[in-house]
């Protein structure tokens, strides 16, 4: 169970009381004072009152969600520290009244940020004296597997005894659906394709491969236009001129070949580099 020496639960008669914790299976947590900074103790298996390990991350923490304008969303909630960005996203969508009608693939994803204040000591260039200043960073919670991982990484700067303010932000303003259909497949190269590029007008596609060929394709009909042989090694890069009238390709031996993409013929070969052209 949970034992209390005075005051009330979070969100009722004592809004400054942020010490609510669930039982850990061995004994309930006890709040020993009503100050902003609490000293946690718990009952061990023998019923004795012992100090809680300072390095131990509590199983729950009080969280207040806010938007980018600083407006609070809902009341402060007691959230398990095992929750990650997916669980936090489900919680904020519930608070906002959003409907996940299309399942997990259809909802809007959210990012969550927490403010971490650090004290930095530096020498004042004018007086030469050491000064301590506070510096606040906004840390992306989604970079951590869970709230517990975030709290453990920033335990020196974030108190688990105070309300953790999380700012939410949508990652997209529309529902994103995955691409599940391939429109066309263009067979032709006998070795791996190492580079492709579209013409400036988007109507033609060029590809270079390990078979030492450059191939031009008609994008609208998905058919080959020209197969060009002028390289003696892997074609590693391809590039169109801004007007789309010229084309260049470079290979593993450092040779640069210029092409007429309309006719599919080489207009010149340059030994440009002693090694690969990438």
């Amino acid at each position: 169970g949970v034992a209390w020496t005075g005051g009330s639960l979070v969100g009722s008669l004592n809004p400054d009381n942020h010490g609510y914790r669930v039982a850990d299976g061995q004994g309930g947590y006890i709040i020993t004072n009503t100050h902003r900074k609490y000293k946690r103790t718990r009952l061990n298996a023998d019923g004795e009152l012992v100090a809680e390990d300072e390095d131990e991350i509590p199983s729950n923490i009080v969280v207040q969600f806010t938007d980018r304008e600083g407006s609070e969303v809902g009341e402060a909630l007691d959230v398990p520290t095992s929750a990650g960005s997916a669980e936090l996203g489900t919680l904020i969508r519930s608070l906002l009244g959003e409907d996940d009608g299309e399942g997990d693939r259809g909802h809007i994803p959210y990012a969550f940020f927490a403010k971490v204040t650090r004290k930095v000591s530096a020498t004042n260039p004018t007086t030469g004296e050491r000064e301590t200043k506070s510096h606040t960073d906004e840390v992306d919670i989604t970079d951590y597997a869970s709230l517990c991982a975030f709290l453990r990484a920033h335990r020196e700067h974030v108190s688990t005894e105070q309300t953790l303010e999380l700012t939410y932000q949508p990652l997209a303003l529309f529902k994103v659906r995955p691409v599940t259909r391939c429109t066309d497949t263009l067979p032709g190269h006998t070795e791996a394709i190492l580079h492709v590029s579209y013409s400036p007008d988007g109507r033609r596609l060029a590809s270079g491969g390990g078979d030492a060929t450059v191939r031009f394709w008609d994008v609208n009909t998905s058919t080959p236009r020209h197969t060009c042989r002028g390289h003696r090694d892997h074609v590693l890069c391809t590039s169109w001129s801004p007007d789309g009238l010229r084309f260049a390709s470079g290979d593993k031996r450092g040779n640069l070949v210029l092409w007429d993409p309309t006719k599919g013929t080489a207009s010149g070969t340059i030994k440009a580099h002693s090694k690969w052209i990438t």
Side-chain angles (χ1 to χ4, degrees):
V2 180
W4 302 87
T5 61
S8 60
L9 296 180
V10 174
S12 57
L13 299 180
N14 187 0
D16 293 329
N17 185 356
H18 302 302
Y20 172 68
R21 294 292 181 270
V22 298
D24 63 357
Q26 297 180 347
Y29 291 93
I30 296 179
I31 306 303
T32 59
N33 57 48
T34 57
H35 294 288
R36 193 72 172 174
K37 181 68 175 179
Y38 297 107
K39 179 181 179 181
R40 292 196 304 270
T41 59
R42 65 179 177 85
L43 296 176
N44 62 15
D46 297 327
E48 299 173 343
L49 190 65
V50 295
E52 190 178 68
D53 185 357
E54 293 183 357
D55 291 336
E56 182 181 347
I57 302 300
S59 58
N60 284 53
I61 187 170
V62 179
V63 171
Q64 175 66 63
F65 291 102
T66 63
D67 58 22
R68 275 300 181 186
E69 286 69 36
S71 300
E72 295 182 353
V73 178
E75 300 292 335
L77 301 173
D78 199 39
V79 178
T81 54
S82 59
S85 56
E87 291 78 12
L88 293 175
T90 300
L91 187 56
I92 191 63
R93 283 190 294 273
S94 175
L95 292 173
L96 295 174
E98 294 182 0
D99 183 14
D100 290 349
E102 296 184 15
D104 292 339
R105 293 184 177 182
H107 61 63
I108 298 176
Y110 284 91
F112 298 90
F113 303 89
K115 293 181 180 179
V116 176
T117 301
R118 299 179 175 88
K119 291 184 178 180
V120 180
S121 180
T123 303
N124 189 313
T126 303
T127 62
E129 298 179 354
R130 298 289 292 179
E131 296 181 350
T132 301
K133 297 182 178 180
S134 296
H135 178 71
T136 302
D137 293 323
E138 203 171 48
V139 179
D140 189 351
I141 298 294
T142 54
D143 291 338
Y144 299 87
S146 64
L147 285 174
C148 183
F150 162 76
L151 294 171
R152 183 171 287 110
H154 300 277
R155 69 178 65 199
E156 296 181 359
H157 310 289
V158 179
S159 172
T160 58
E161 299 300 335
Q162 297 182 4
T163 300
L164 177 64
E165 184 177 297
L166 294 183
T167 301
Y168 71 91
Q169 178 179 328
L171 294 179
L173 299 179
F174 50 87
K175 294 183 178 181
V176 180
R177 296 178 180 175
V179 176
T180 57
R181 183 172 62 90
C182 176
T183 58
D184 287 292
T185 301
L186 310 178
H189 286 277
T190 58
E191 297 290 341
I193 298 175
L194 304 177
H195 200 272
V196 296
S197 57
Y198 279 95
S199 63
D201 60 8
R203 298 180 179 178
R204 290 170 292 176
L205 177 68
S207 59
D211 57 2
T213 66
V214 172
R215 296 172 185 260
F216 294 96
W217 310 84
D218 187 310
V219 174
N220 294 327
T221 61
S222 300
T223 55
R225 296 290 298 275
H226 306 289
T227 299
C228 308
R229 294 178 172 84
H231 291 281
R232 292 187 296 171
D233 214 323
H234 297 57
V235 180
L236 301 179
C237 62
T238 61
S239 181
W240 295 79
S241 63
D243 58 9
L245 299 179
R246 292 178 293 276
F247 183 84
S249 56
D251 64 26
K252 188 176 180 180
R253 299 192 181 188
N255 294 320
L256 184 68
V257 181
L258 304 179
W259 305 91
D260 180 344
T262 303
K263 299 178 181 178
T265 57
S267 57
T269 301
I270 304 172
K271 178 62 176 177
H273 296 272
S274 59
K275 292 186 178 181
W276 303 5
I277 299 177
T278 57

